[in-house]
Structures are given as C-alpha cells and as structure tokens.
Amino acid sequence: MAQEDVVRGWASNRYARFLDTTLRDGEQTPGVALKPEDKLAIALKLEELGVDSIEAGFPIVSDGEFRAVRDIAREVRNSEVIVLARTRKEDINKALDADVPAIHIFIATSDIHMKYKLRMSREEVIKAAVEAVSYAKSHGLTVEFSAEDATRSDPYFLVRVFQEVVNAGADRLDIADTVGVMWPNRMATLVRFVRQNVRGNYLLSVHCHDDFGMAVANSVAAIEAGADQAHGTINGVGERAGNAALEEIASAVKFLLGYETRIRFERIKEVSDLVSRLFRIPVPPNKAIVGANAFSHESGIHVHGVLTNPLTYEPINPESVGMSRRVVVGKHSGRHSIEYILKSMGIEPNNDIINKVLRRIKELGDMGLRVSEEDIRHIISEIVNQ
C-alpha cells in the first residue's frame, strides 16, 4: 500500500479544481516585478504542474504585462489561461486583444469597499457587474466573477449579486476573502449558504488571503464544504501576508481528503524553486511541503521511527511532492542518526565511534553552535582516523 494511501482520512470521487494566481496576485507582492520572459517561464512550469487555470496577469496594467499575457496565451495549451479585469469595457477589450479564452471579472461587494473605494450604491454595483459579464460572454469568453471582499459583505446582498451574474451567463463564482478575516468553520458556512441560495449551473471558487494565517485551512474547508475550485499561489506569495499556498491546499485535498486533482505532485518542488528564484523570495526552511525542513529529522526518537517505518513521523512520502528525506545530526540526535550517516559514508558503525561522534556533536550543540553536514563528516573522519 502506498504511503499516501495510508494517511487519507477517507476516499472520495470528488474533483478539486485549482486556479493559480502566482503571476497576478502573487506578483503583487511588494517589491516584486517580473519580466515578460520570467512570467512565461513560470507559466510553462505551472502548465507542467497541471493546474487547471493560470491567471496570467492584469493586461491593462502596462504594455509589458499585456505582452506577457499574450505570449502565455499563445504558448500554454494544457491549462486554461485567464486574466483579471475590472467591470470596465476597456479592461475586457484588453483581454480580448491578448487573445485569452477566459476572464476573471471582479468588483467589491462589501459596504466598506462600495462606500469608500467605489463610491457606488448596491444597485450600481449590480448593474456594473451584470453589464461586464454580459459583455464578456457576448465575446465568447469563459467568465469567472469575483466578489471582492465577499467575506465582509452582507451575505444576502452577496447571493443577490451572484444570482444576477449567473443569470447574465457567468460560468464561475468566486468568494474572495480579500483581507483574510475568515476561519474554517465560517468559510464552510458561507460556501454552503451560497450553494443553497444561488441557483444555476456554475462552479464555485474561493480566493483566500493569509492575514491571520488561515488561508490554506479556509481553502480546504471551503472545498470540503462544496466549493469546486481554490485559488492559490506557489509558495504562498502575494500582497501583505500572502495568498493561500497552492501546493499546500492541493496536497491536503489530495492526501488528506482523497479528492482527485490534475496536479502532478512530483513537480511541485521544481516549480517552488523557480518561483522562489525569480521572485527573489527564499522559501522558509520550516514551510510545509516544500521547505528544506519539511521532511528533515534530527530528534533521535524521530529518526529511529522514520528509519524503521517512514509513516511514524512523515504524513506522506517526500518523493510524492518532489522532495527527499533528510536525517540531520545535531544536539538532539541519537545513535540511529550516527549509524545512518556512517553507513552513508561507507563506514561500518561500532559503539566506540558512535559514542565519540555523538559526544562531540552534543558538546558543540550545548555551546549553541550549529553543526553543518560538512562539519559532521569532518568529525567522523577525524574520529575514525584516530
């Protein structure tokens, strides 16, 4: 039995769809600006990863953004290419000029956004949303409609807006947790409320931000509650505290909920590395799924367990997400870690060597010194030669 099959809470025939917004919302990370060729390189990797939709950008922003979006639309064939647009004809026309098949139209629906940002009434917001969706559909585009700041909106007004745009032809609806104020139970409740009150044939999405550190949990709760799609970014990049990390949502949905996806999980790590390099944002070592420590073990108890049966301290096989297991030697290590390192160096372990190596490493650890892999090998070689 595969390791990932063991850890699933239950199996399901449900399919979860993923829209990656690394190239749009992710690029809104303060200080980040990608060249068109960088955006194309990431888009092609996302296509290989198997995301259903790639949000390539916001084409009206600049000439370079438009060119990047157009190039991505020409090159990507196995994922939908979608772009962002306000409820304005000039935005939609720019998307049409870029020759994309799908458009992500948004307008705010919370009272605070409508009053202070849009300076529009509820009726004006509905009218703008319906006219934009109708215009995009009349030009043959697949339309995803986002209610910006949906999670701080009057839920009854939210479903009214959603119903009107579905009636106008919207293919997908998106609940945007724009400032990350939701928690899993509340997100699940809102998803069910929308499902129960908006009639028609549509896919339901969620778009979660991480201001309170719950973007991934909220996204997974939404999928479990009946949402069809989650938006996310690679490594969780994005404005303020970032977006929901797509690799974390997808892994939880696949390995914990047992849902089907198009994601080729073994390619997650290489996409993460590319985004980290081009965004110039290092991946934190303790980050879930793709962090350097995600499948690393130092504690003697943990190493003993993992070397006996990986399931003792690893929820999934690291190779399933393009990672590898690491045994790290340090202050908390035990005999099994040293035996493992010795064998990897082609040295037959014995009690004398093991005890001397452990004693030296723990002495260094008690001094607050970090011991690198190179240091450990040097210590072992020195003791063996003695």
Side-chain angles (χ1 to χ4, degrees), residues 296-335:
S296 297
H297 309 275
E298 179 182 325
S299 164
I301 295 170
H302 285 212
V303 171
H304 182 201
V306 163
L307 294 179
T308 304
N309 183 333
L311 280 173
T312 53
Y313 288 103
E314 288 177 350
I316 58 174
N317 186 335
E319 294 178 356
S320 65
V321 289
M323 297 289 285
S324 57
R325 182 177 302 115
R326 287 198 313 147
V327 172
V328 179
V329 176
K331 176 182 175 180
H332 306 95
S333 296
R335 300 179 59 83

Side-chain angles (χ1 to χ4, degrees), residues 121-131 157 160-161 164:
S121 68
R122 289 186 173 190
E123 296 305 318
E124 288 172 328
V125 164
I126 290 174
K127 182 173 184 290
V130 167
E131 287 181 353
F157 177 63
R160 183 181 166 205
V161 175
E164 292 288 349

Side-chain angles (χ1 to χ4, degrees), residues 44-66:
L44 293 173
K45 279 293 183 186
L46 291 170
E47 180 184 28
E48 291 176 10
L49 181 62
V51 299
D52 299 272
S53 295
I54 299 170
E55 189 165 43
F58 195 176
I60 204 163
V61 164
S62 69
D63 290 339
E65 184 82 345
F66 173 80

Side-chain angles (χ1 to χ4, degrees), residues 10 14 18 175 182-192 195 204-206 208 214-230 244 248-250 252-253 256-257 259:
W10 57 86
R14 276 192 56 191
F18 289 97
I175 299 170
M182 294 301 266
W183 55 92
N185 183 61
R186 190 178 180 193
M187 178 60 89
T189 298
L190 182 57
V191 166
R192 287 191 286 266
R195 276 287 186 215
L204 184 60
S205 302
V206 291
C208 298
M214 291 186 282
V216 170
N218 288 335
S219 301
V220 175
I223 293 289
E224 189 177 23
D228 303 289
Q229 174 177 265
E248 295 179 24
I249 311 170
V253 165
L256 300 181
L257 301 186
Y259 292 6

Side-chain angles (χ1 to χ4, degrees), residues 15-23 25-26 42 45-55 79-80 82 206-210 215-217 219-220 223 229-238 241-255 261-269 271-272 275 287-290 321:
Y15 178 80
R17 199 175 191 281
F18 289 97
L19 182 151
D20 183 278
T21 184
T22 302
L23 298 175
D25 216 346
I42 292 172
K45 279 293 183 186
L46 291 170
E47 180 184 28
E48 291 176 10
L49 181 62
V51 299
D52 299 272
S53 295
I54 299 170
E55 189 165 43
S79 297
E80 175 190 79
I82 188 168
V206 291
H207 177 106
C208 298
H209 282 262
D210 207 34
V216 170
S219 301
V220 175
I223 293 289
Q229 174 177 265
H231 295 194
T233 61
I234 300 299
N235 299 337
V237 294
N243 290 53
L246 186 139
E247 67 277 2
E248 295 179 24
I249 311 170
S251 296
V253 165
K254 172 68 174 180
F255 300 121
T261 78
R262 287 183 70 236
I263 301 298
R264 299 182 182 97
F265 287 88
E266 70 280 2
R267 300 197 176 182
I268 282 177
K269 174 60 174 169
V271 182
S272 169
V275 170
K287 185 185 177 306
I289 306 299
V290 293
V321 289

Side-chain angles (χ1 to χ4, degrees), residues 323-375:
M323 297 289 285
S324 57
R325 182 177 302 115
R326 287 198 313 147
V327 172
V328 179
V329 176
K331 176 182 175 180
H332 306 95
S333 296
R335 300 179 59 83
H336 292 91
S337 301
I338 306 304
E339 288 181 10
Y340 178 85
I341 299 295
L342 286 167
K343 288 179 180 178
S344 73
M345 294 175 65
I347 299 169
E348 186 61 33
N350 66 56
N351 287 336
D352 184 50
I353 294 175
I354 291 171
N355 291 337
K356 287 179 179 179
V357 171
L358 265 180
R359 185 162 54 248
R360 182 80 63 85
I361 287 169
K362 289 179 183 290
E363 286 172 356
L364 293 171
D366 285 336
M367 294 166 62
L369 298 175
R370 185 176 179 179
V371 185
S372 69
E373 187 174 330
E374 185 179 345
D375 293 334

